[in-house]
Amino acid sequence: MAKTPFYITTAISYVNGVPHLGHAYEVILTDVMARFKRLDGFDVMFLTGTDEHGEKVAKTAEEHGVSPKEFADQNAAEFIRMTDTLNISNDDFIRTSEERHYKSVQTIWKKLKENGDIYLGKYEGWYSVGDEAYFTEDELRTSEDGEKFTADGKPVKWVEENSYFFKLSNYTDKLLEYYEEHFKFIQPESRRNEIMSFVKQEGGLKDLSISRHKDRLKWGIPVPGDEDHVMYVWLDALTNYITGAGYPDVESDQYKKYWPAQYHVIGKDITRFHCIYWPAFLMSAELSLPETVFAHGFINVQGAKMSKSIGNVLSPDGLVETYGLDQIRYFLMREIPHGQDGSFSHEQAITRINADLANGIGNLAQRTLSMIHKNCDAKIPEPTALEKSEQEFLNGVYNNLVESLKPYVEVFRFNEYLAGIWETVSMCDAYIDNSAPWKLKKENPERMNTVLYVLADIIRCLAISVQPVTPEGAGKMLDQLKVPADERDFAHISADYALKPGTVIDKPEGIFPRIVEENEPGRAAG
């Protein structure tokens, strides 16, 4: 039977700088969902990439004495390397400077124009280079000396220029109707409310400037039929999602299979672009809309927003070097709540990693497999009749370990998914303490074998369940149990695939070593 397609994307990262914790969090969050869906039997397409055009990139490249393309190449390479560093399972990495993307964006532009939604006019308004966006007067704040800034402090300047416009004003009612009919389109609900309030503002949406004259900006995709203009970076960037699905070949197998996407995973600061502009562009182009845009929060470091001046900007390389790869993936998924802002501190990371990984699932696996290796001739033991409570324990794991937690996953509440998994870890610890297999070795060896077998098979199920978050460590755990590579999906959390007694195991090694706290909480800074 054909697998159900599942298409998920990150926002593409702007190449004006190198990767930091915020980029790492988003791509790990998306990766965990992609891995979960693969393990759950879906045919997954996972896209990430880089956003490379625009005024910011051009200006920064000039400051570095290189061309925009050279600058984009340098930083795009760092984002590609980040996917390797963080063990990201993306199926494609798109760069907006690629030929396939130029073709895609110019095709959608033509489609918008054919449908009467693009016209040439003159723009006058406040523009932020930092946001690559225009702002209305009521969206800005004014300093004592009269200078105007965006809400997050970026300077703006008054710009007057010829520009092509998209008739966004035609989509006010259409978008509101769509939001009402598709409650899950914008998640979490707090973001949905923000967007609906913005669209409902008095007078509705204003037409959107979607080009820049080449007198001001040359680094961009040329407007079809007008070489004096390049496209607005957001029309360019947002189109990456359909480029990755195979657009403009809407008859291709890839496009038909994967578009519309199930999830765009983005930061909360770019919801307006993804939840207003993007669906309006798609409606105009007569293309299907994605099912859900999920906007995650930001992460403060040591209680403060990441800032180079403060020195608290954390790099993916530094995080992995300091805490370990699976360890940092686990921490971010366990500590950051659903769609909300989170916090990161060295002390938090050490405490959570040691408690849950080293002392939790790692210790459970290590001591169970060590007892089996030492007391059962290094073989998975043969169980005798299980007590009623043991059979209920096993059946609960087989039937509910992942299944009961899927609703949390569907809304990116991985912290609660993991909390549920770790309840079973705690139940295993209690089972060990109550059964005392070290005593049973002398008093009742057959009973010891049964206890160790029950534990080993639950550890197998636990390892399968945590693969989306800690793929390397979970894989090693399954290797130690000699679980075949083709029996590691969620469908194998079942009595039908229980461990085979008599299977020889190697001497186990610790998978999640305890982190000895150092007086270097800044080591992960990059």
Side-chain angles (χ1 to χ4, degrees):
M1 188 172 73
K3 294 182 177 181
T4 302
F6 182 86
Y7 183 26
I8 187 168
T9 76
T10 66
I12 50 176
S13 301
Y14 204 41
V15 295
N16 199 49
V18 295
H20 55 63
L21 172 60
H23 299 108
Y25 172 64
E26 180 169 297
V27 76
I28 291 171
L29 180 66
T30 312
D31 180 62
V32 170
M33 178 65 89
R35 288 178 181 272
F36 186 96
K37 287 295 183 178
R38 290 192 193 99
L39 290 166
D40 204 25
F42 287 76
D43 177 358
V44 173
M45 168 70 176
F46 171 17
L47 177 72
T48 188
T50 45
D51 176 9
E52 303 184 11
H53 295 126
E55 192 170 350
K56 260 196 302 189
V57 170
K59 285 183 175 296
T60 309
E62 184 179 358
E63 291 167 4
H64 283 76
V66 296
S67 71
K69 182 64 167 62
E70 289 173 315
F71 184 72
D73 286 346
Q74 291 169 11
N75 281 353
E78 290 300 307
F79 283 95
I80 292 170
R81 192 171 67 81
M82 178 183 71
T83 64
D84 293 331
T85 298
L86 298 175
N87 195 10
I88 303 303
S89 63
N90 55 296
D91 300 286
D92 193 3
F93 189 101
I94 191 166
R95 297 182 56 190
T96 57
S97 58
E98 294 177 45
E99 183 179 345
R100 61 170 169 161
H101 187 62
Y102 270 62
K103 181 179 179 182
S104 176
V105 176
Q106 291 186 321
T107 300
I108 198 172
W109 177 285
K110 292 174 184 175
K111 189 72 174 175
L112 303 184
K113 190 170 185 182
E114 286 171 9
N115 288 338
D117 279 333
I118 291 180
Y119 64 92
L120 183 62
K122 184 176 181 180
Y123 186 83
E124 295 181 354
W126 295 104
Y127 181 72
S128 163
V129 174
D131 289 306
E132 301 273 5
Y134 288 101
F135 291 84
T136 59
E137 192 83 29
D138 59 1
E139 293 177 278
L140 302 174
R141 58 183 180 83
T142 305
S143 65
E144 292 182 0
D145 59 1
E147 294 292 319
K148 293 188 179 295
F149 298 88
T150 63
D152 58 356
K154 294 189 180 75
V156 294
K157 60 182 178 181
W158 184 261
V159 172
E160 298 181 15
E161 62 183 8
N162 290 331
S163 173
Y164 284 93
F165 287 81
F166 173 74
K167 293 181 181 178
L168 188 63
S169 57
N170 286 353
Y171 290 87
T172 301
D173 293 337
K174 293 177 184 177
L175 287 169
L176 288 173
E177 181 180 348
Y178 191 84
Y179 302 152
E180 292 289 354
E181 293 178 357
H182 299 82
F183 187 83
K184 292 173 61 178
F185 177 63
I186 306 171
Q187 292 294 321
E189 189 176 351
S190 58
R191 309 289 173 229
R192 180 177 183 272
N193 294 338
E194 290 170 4
I195 291 297
M196 291 190 71
S197 294
F198 182 84
V199 178
K200 287 178 177 178
Q201 65 184 306
E202 186 176 352
L205 296 170
K206 307 297 189 295
D207 288 352
L208 179 69
S209 170
I210 55 169
S211 76
R212 303 291 180 264
H213 197 279
K214 281 192 174 179
D215 286 347
R216 184 154 71 87
L217 178 64
K218 294 182 175 62
W219 178 234
I221 297 177
V223 167
D226 188 343
E227 292 297 314
D228 288 335
H229 286 258
V230 297
M231 291 187 208
Y232 172 49
V233 68
W234 276 103
L235 175 57
D236 165 2
L238 289 163
T239 304
N240 91 89
Y241 304 126
I242 52 175
T243 304
Y247 189 81
D249 187 358
V250 295
E251 297 302 318
S252 67
D253 290 342
Q254 168 126 334
Y255 187 87
K256 287 181 175 180
K257 179 191 289 189
Y258 292 117
W259 191 259
Q262 276 61 55
Y263 289 105
H264 292 326
V265 181
I266 65 167
K268 66 178 184 178
D269 56 329
I270 52 176
T271 50
R272 187 181 304 177
F273 305 103
H274 285 79
C275 300
I276 299 176
Y277 303 168
W278 180 225
F281 295 154
L282 291 170
M283 287 175 178
S284 176
E286 301 171 319
L287 299 173
S288 300
L289 274 61
E291 290 181 16
T292 300
V293 178
F294 178 82
H296 61 78
F298 295 154
I299 303 177
N300 292 323
V301 177
Q302 302 291 146
K305 184 178 178 180
M306 278 191 291
S307 166
K308 288 183 180 179
S309 61
I310 297 175
N312 67 345
V313 178
L314 304 184
S315 73
D317 286 338
L319 290 164
V320 172
E321 180 185 349
T322 303
Y323 304 105
L325 173 54
D326 274 3
Q327 288 86 340
I328 199 61
R329 287 173 60 100
Y330 178 83
F331 174 81
L332 292 174
M333 294 302 99
R334 185 67 178 85
E335 286 288 315
I336 309 302
H338 161 69
Q340 301 173 32
D341 290 348
S343 62
F344 182 98
S345 74
H346 181 67
E347 295 74 23
Q348 274 179 294
I350 294 291
T351 299
R352 175 63 73 180
I353 290 167
N354 282 341
D356 290 8
L357 296 181
N359 300 341
I361 196 170
N363 184 54
L364 172 64
Q366 174 72 5
R367 63 173 172 165
T368 300
L369 296 189
S370 294
M371 281 189 279
I372 290 173
H373 191 272
K374 180 179 179 181
N375 301 315
C376 305
D377 297 324
K379 297 176 183 177
I380 299 296
E382 180 80 48
T384 53
L386 272 61
E387 294 180 356
K388 181 182 178 182
S389 60
E390 290 171 325
Q391 191 61 64
E392 289 175 349
F393 190 12
L394 271 174
N395 289 343
V397 169
Y398 295 149
N399 298 326
N400 299 317
L401 180 64
V402 170
E403 283 299 318
S404 66
L405 300 172
K406 281 183 181 178
Y408 293 126
V409 173
E410 292 300 325
V411 290
F412 285 87
R413 288 159 68 170
F414 290 118
N415 57 325
E416 296 192 53
Y417 172 76
L418 291 169
I421 298 297
W422 255 254
E423 285 182 12
T424 300
V425 174
S426 297
M427 290 169 68
C428 285
D429 289 335
Y431 175 60
I432 292 176
D433 291 341
N434 293 333
S435 303
W438 53 90
K439 291 183 180 179
L440 293 173
K441 178 184 178 182
K442 294 181 180 180
E443 299 170 1
N444 190 342
E446 288 187 351
R447 178 73 189 134
M448 177 195 72
N449 288 345
T450 300
V451 170
L452 293 177
Y453 181 84
V454 169
L455 285 167
D457 205 45
I458 292 176
I459 290 167
R460 174 184 70 88
C461 298
L462 287 168
I464 290 173
S465 73
V466 299
Q467 288 178 103
V469 182
T470 59
E472 189 175 281
K476 288 179 180 178
M477 212 174 290
L478 293 165
D479 289 344
Q480 291 186 2
L481 289 165
K482 302 299 180 182
V483 176
D486 60 354
E487 294 184 8
R488 300 184 179 191
D489 292 345
F490 292 151
H492 300 111
I493 300 179
S494 160
D496 296 337
Y497 298 94
L499 294 171
K500 295 177 175 59
T503 301
V504 177
I505 65 170
D506 300 324
K507 185 177 181 179
E509 297 180 358
I511 293 169
F512 297 113
R514 181 176 177 79
I515 299 177
V516 178
E517 191 164 359
E518 302 174 5
N519 294 319
E520 297 180 68
R523 255 180 67 190

